[in-house]
Amino acid sequence: MTDIRRLAEHLNISIGTVSRALNNRPGVHPETRSRVLQAATELGYVANASGRSLRRGATNTIGFVIETGSPANQAGDNFFYIVTDAMHESLAERGYDLVILPCHSADDPVEYLARLVARGIVDALVITATRVQDQRIALLAKSAMPFLTLGRSETPGEYPWIDLDFHDVARRSVAELVALGHRRIAVALPEKDVNLGQHYRSGYLAGLQAAGLPVDPDLILRVATSEEGGYDFGRQLAALPHRPTAALLCSEATTVGLYGALRNNGIAPGTDVSIITFRENPQLRFLDPAPACFRTSLPELGQEMARAVLDLLGNNGDQARRNHKLWPMTFVPGASVAPPGS
Amino acid sequence: MTDIRRLAEHLNISIGTVSRALNNRPGVHPETRSRVLQAATELGYVANASGRSLRRGATNTIGFVIETGSPANQAGDNFFYIVTDAMHESLAERGYDLVILPCHSADDPVEYLARLVARGIVDALVITATRVQDQRIALLAKSAMPFLTLGRSETPGEYPWIDLDFHDVARRSVAELVALGHRRIAVALPEKDVNLGQHYRSGYLAGLQAAGLPVDPDLILRVATSEEGGYDFGRQLAALPHRPTAALLCSEATTVGLYGALRNNGIAPGTDVSIITFRENPQLRFLDPAPACFRTSLPELGQEMARAVLDLLGNNGDQARRNHKLWPMTFVPGASVAPPGS
DNA sequence: CAGATTTTTGGAAACGTTTACAACGTGGCG
DNA sequence: CGCCACGTTGTAAACGTTTCCAAAAATCTG
């Protein structure tokens, strides 16, 4: 609406001075500055983003990429909303804005990212749902765009990431169950090549090994990350000749389906099959029996991510590019866990 | 990375011609055009967004505003992801991009919007979670920014909206129950002043009136739009001296909590209290008994929204500003509905 | 009070595009 | 052969900022 020229004319002052006043640059008379600031709010002046970023070569905006088409990203409750809300707030304190950049299902995630980088609408990117081999990481590493990944990848190269500690969660889940006497523990892994599956699997194997238990391939199943997938998982467990006494899940939506499938097959969750799922979630609270799970503060995760991104844009960005953070989670006991055969 | 100047130098050609070739402008030799196009993909040239939109006065980007802090926006399943995914795809066919603009919980939605409008990072806005009186609508109507609301408002003035037909859903829900013999039907309304609550309420009242049933204020409760809120609702119903035989809900998360509360009070959902909820949702599929609800295609809704926004930006934008669309939903029977006292 | 120094301001260039306009070359036509 | 029209290209201005540099004004110093 009002541009800086009009604002300057209205004040009978040069636009250079107005700009300096608005941007807290030194060397402008205090009285002039306050006059400018007042006029700006009066006329509702806000700097045009295109003009500003064209000149500055920076947008002061962080992009958070999600794949709206992928059900794997539809984390049941509003994982991304909560994380981005806190991240956004932390960024705002430092003068940065956050936008969510959705990659729609008909678009190629790598091309989408390439376009995003070239268009220059953000100063840094966060990408999520990292794959075991993730071309997006290779692309971003080659470009000059600072980026952070939520989740790791086996893609070679040095890049900053924050990842929920899936390995540790799975390992400890096994340990909890083993301590109660369970020896046959099934696990549901995502069928897609999202990296978290790798770590959850390795944690599961580490847990078995620590307990001296054998690995039964029949108990390691790959299912869709959805309610449907959980139902499939339950059906397959029910059909096993030698049924497991416990099951691990790394997705909350899957848990809902598993409960349904077990019940439909006359198997009582919790008593017949102990269950430990991944992340505590308001939706799970009303499952009966309440599933044991792991807790973490998503707002704190968002704050940490904001910090990591700001570090990338700071003076010692090179240092920050080596930042890795394994995000810990704490065990939440639940009635879904009992000794086998109880 | 590569700007248009470098691209032009690489081709030994003027940047004007390059721009015309890339933008499909007439008056450029076919051979030149193809040479330019090839070089552009080779060098990975993508027009810088700031430069382009500064010159064009348009960004070719639509902003979809959500309030990440508000639990009312955390619609249980991924309502917004599915809608925006389809909307994004439709927009892309017409050369438009879509970004999700989150307003974080510590920020004021009205100020956020004002800033957004002035910064000029989008050509049009979609706002969601409309309130009964919504200052955002007043603000946008005053500005030159084209906008569409998902949900109506009582705010005066002419503006385009698309709204799920909450009134009709509530009215038909009552009718379904009445046909089975129910006469005491409770309803859970959102405690916040989101507009959908008004319409759901009026539909409920219309349904009662059509059946010649009295309105009992004890049966109209306001609760939080969350699992917790649903639990509260159930607890309050259980405590009523003259318990209703049926309940209506306009939120899926609430439904999960209601089931839990009823069970904890020795009341069987479906047989003791019939239940009809709002929107079909993968999470609800595993509730037992399966709740009756209403179905609609969210991708189609997204496509319709894309159409409405593009209309606003088209030649007859004035016409399009009068566009209203009440989005219909179809009833999905479920085991949660039975004759009273069965 | 003149000169030196500092503070404050104005002017103009630059960021990367797009586009109106002018210029150029080519071919057709009289 | 000269002129005009047309197709193609180059040039430069403009979009709204920020910032460098110079100019002006204010303050200090001897």
Side-chain angles (χ1 to χ4, degrees):
Chain A
M1 210 73 221
T2 17
D3 56 2
I4 202 174
R5 197 174 335 256
R6 244 196 287 276
L7 186 55
E9 280 169 11
H10 177 257
L11 286 162
N12 269 334
I13 228 180
S14 81
I15 77 176
T17 305
V18 173
S19 176
R20 276 187 296 265
L22 291 171
N23 291 297
N24 265 23
R25 289 283 172 285
V28 33
H29 192 92
E31 196 199 305
T32 315
R33 164 160 293 145
S34 67
R35 273 182 56 220
V36 172
L37 258 46
Q38 192 185 337
T41 54
E42 245 169 43
L43 302 187
Y45 170 80
V46 176
N48 174 283
S50 305
R52 162 171 286 177
S53 56
L54 179 58
R55 168 66 222 217
R56 279 195 182 160
T59 61
N60 273 42
T61 301
I62 310 299
F64 193 105
V65 180
I66 62 174
E67 292 167 27
T68 45
S70 156
N73 259 0
Q74 299 172 3
D77 81 336
N78 301 275
F79 181 83
F80 284 136
Y81 290 163
I82 303 173
V83 171
T84 55
D85 192 65
M87 187 176 173
H88 197 176
E89 191 174 338
S90 291
L91 290 172
E93 287 167 9
R94 297 279 300 274
Y96 280 89
D97 199 8
L98 181 134
V99 298
I100 298 177
L101 302 169
C103 174
H104 69 255
S105 42
D107 204 352
D108 175 51
V110 181
E111 283 179 26
Y112 178 71
L113 221 53
R115 243 162 29 223
L116 224 47
V117 168
R119 290 200 300 157
I121 61 177
V122 292
D123 294 347
L125 283 172
V126 176
I127 65 172
T128 59
T130 46
R131 321 294 151 77
V132 179
Q133 290 299 330
D134 204 316
Q135 294 180 50
R136 298 175 301 168
I137 292 176
L139 171 81
L140 288 173
K142 215 177 300 177
S143 80
M145 175 72 71
F147 70 101
L148 171 72
T149 70
L150 178 54
R152 278 170 286 174
S153 163
E154 302 303 317
T155 305
E158 193 72 42
Y159 60 89
W161 50 258
I162 294 182
D163 201 2
L164 302 188
D165 198 346
F166 283 87
H167 177 96
D168 188 56
V169 161
R171 191 188 55 72
R172 284 159 66 197
S173 298
V174 171
E176 290 283 344
L177 293 166
V178 166
L180 286 174
H182 290 272
R183 296 184 49 85
R184 290 185 51 76
I185 304 170
V187 62
L189 298 175
E191 57 179 3
K192 292 187 67 181
D193 64 338
V194 287
N195 198 251
L196 64 92
Q198 295 273 79
H199 291 285
Y200 198 74
R201 182 171 175 278
S202 75
Y204 166 79
L205 295 178
L208 291 185
Q209 187 168 33
L213 289 176
V215 176
D216 182 347
D218 284 354
L219 299 184
I220 303 178
L221 299 174
R222 300 190 157 272
V223 296
T225 309
S226 64
E227 287 83 358
E228 288 297 339
Y231 194 87
D232 277 354
F233 180 52
R235 234 168 7 99
Q236 291 183 57
L237 292 189
L240 283 178
H242 187 190
R243 190 192 300 157
T245 62
L248 302 186
L249 302 125
C250 56
S251 140
E252 297 79 45
T254 317
T255 312
V256 172
L258 172 62
Y259 271 61
L262 293 180
R263 286 237 165 76
N264 284 357
N265 283 277
I267 304 172
T271 46
D272 293 338
V273 175
S274 288
I275 294 169
I276 303 183
T277 185
F278 187 63
R279 192 171 56 80
E280 190 186 37
N281 175 321
Q283 285 157 21
L284 297 182
R285 277 199 45 194
F286 297 96
L287 281 182
D288 185 29
C293 56
F294 288 80
R295 175 181 299 164
T296 191
S297 163
L298 297 188
E300 282 178 23
L301 174 60
Q303 286 161 13
E304 177 70 27
M305 290 177 67
R307 223 171 297 142
V309 169
L310 289 169
D311 281 352
L312 285 173
L313 298 171
N315 295 328
N316 42 5
D318 292 342
Q319 174 78 13
R321 265 190 287 163
R322 273 176 256 282
N323 271 353
H324 305 322
K325 175 103 190 178
L326 221 37
W327 194 256
M329 304 183 74
T330 64
F331 182 65
V332 180
S336 69
V337 172
S342 60
Chain B
M1 208 74 217
T2 17
D3 57 1
I4 202 175
R5 196 174 337 258
R6 245 194 287 275
L7 186 54
E9 280 169 11
H10 177 258
L11 286 162
N12 270 335
I13 229 179
S14 82
I15 78 176
T17 305
V18 172
S19 175
R20 276 186 296 264
L22 291 172
N23 291 297
N24 265 21
R25 289 282 175 283
V28 33
H29 193 91
E31 196 199 303
T32 315
R33 164 160 293 144
S34 66
R35 272 182 57 219
V36 171
L37 258 46
Q38 192 187 336
T41 54
E42 246 169 42
L43 302 186
Y45 170 80
V46 176
N48 174 282
S50 305
R52 163 172 286 178
S53 57
L54 179 58
R55 167 66 221 215
R56 280 196 182 160
T59 60
N60 273 39
T61 301
I62 310 300
F64 193 105
V65 181
I66 62 175
E67 292 169 25
T68 45
S70 157
N73 260 359
Q74 299 172 3
D77 80 338
N78 302 277
F79 181 83
F80 284 136
Y81 290 163
I82 303 173
V83 171
T84 55
D85 192 65
M87 187 176 172
H88 197 177
E89 191 175 338
S90 292
L91 289 172
E93 288 166 9
R94 298 278 302 270
Y96 280 89
D97 199 10
L98 181 135
V99 298
I100 298 177
L101 302 168
C103 174
H104 69 256
S105 42
D107 204 350
D108 175 50
V110 181
E111 282 179 28
Y112 178 72
L113 220 53
R115 250 171 12 233
L116 224 46
V117 168
R119 291 200 300 156
I121 62 176
V122 292
D123 294 347
L125 284 171
V126 176
I127 64 172
T128 59
T130 46
R131 321 292 151 78
V132 179
Q133 290 298 330
D134 203 316
Q135 294 180 53
R136 298 175 301 166
I137 292 176
L139 171 81
L140 288 173
K142 216 177 299 178
S143 81
M145 176 71 72
F147 71 103
L148 170 73
T149 70
L150 179 54
R152 278 168 287 175
S153 162
E154 301 303 316
T155 306
E158 193 70 43
Y159 60 90
W161 50 258
I162 294 184
D163 201 2
L164 302 188
D165 198 345
F166 283 87
H167 177 96
D168 188 54
V169 161
R171 191 187 54 72
R172 285 159 64 196
S173 298
V174 171
E176 290 282 345
L177 293 165
V178 167
L180 287 174
H182 291 272
R183 298 183 51 85
R184 289 184 55 73
I185 304 170
V187 62
L189 298 175
E191 59 181 1
K192 291 187 67 182
D193 64 339
V194 286
N195 199 249
L196 65 91
Q198 296 271 81
H199 291 285
Y200 199 74
R201 182 172 176 278
S202 75
Y204 166 79
L205 296 177
L208 291 185
Q209 187 168 34
L213 290 175
V215 176
D216 182 347
D218 285 354
L219 300 184
I220 304 178
L221 298 173
R222 299 189 157 271
V223 297
T225 308
S226 64
E227 286 84 358
E228 287 298 337
Y231 195 86
D232 277 354
F233 180 52
R235 238 172 0 104
Q236 290 182 58
L237 292 189
L240 283 179
H242 188 189
R243 188 193 300 159
T245 61
L248 302 186
L249 302 125
C250 56
S251 140
E252 296 79 48
T254 318
T255 311
V256 173
L258 173 61
Y259 271 61
L262 292 180
R263 285 236 165 77
N264 284 358
N265 283 276
I267 303 172
T271 46
D272 293 339
V273 175
S274 288
I275 294 169
I276 303 184
T277 185
F278 187 63
R279 192 171 55 79
E280 190 185 38
N281 177 321
Q283 284 156 22
L284 296 182
R285 278 200 44 193
F286 297 96
L287 282 182
D288 185 31
C293 56
F294 290 79
R295 174 182 300 163
T296 191
S297 162
L298 297 187
E300 281 178 24
L301 174 60
Q303 287 160 14
E304 177 70 27
M305 290 177 67
R307 221 171 300 144
V309 169
L310 290 169
D311 281 351
L312 284 172
L313 297 171
N315 295 327
N316 43 4
D318 293 343
Q319 174 78 12
R321 265 190 287 163
R322 273 176 256 282
N323 271 354
H324 305 322
K325 175 102 190 180
L326 220 38
W327 194 257
M329 304 182 73
T330 62
F331 183 64
V332 180
S336 70
V337 173
S342 59

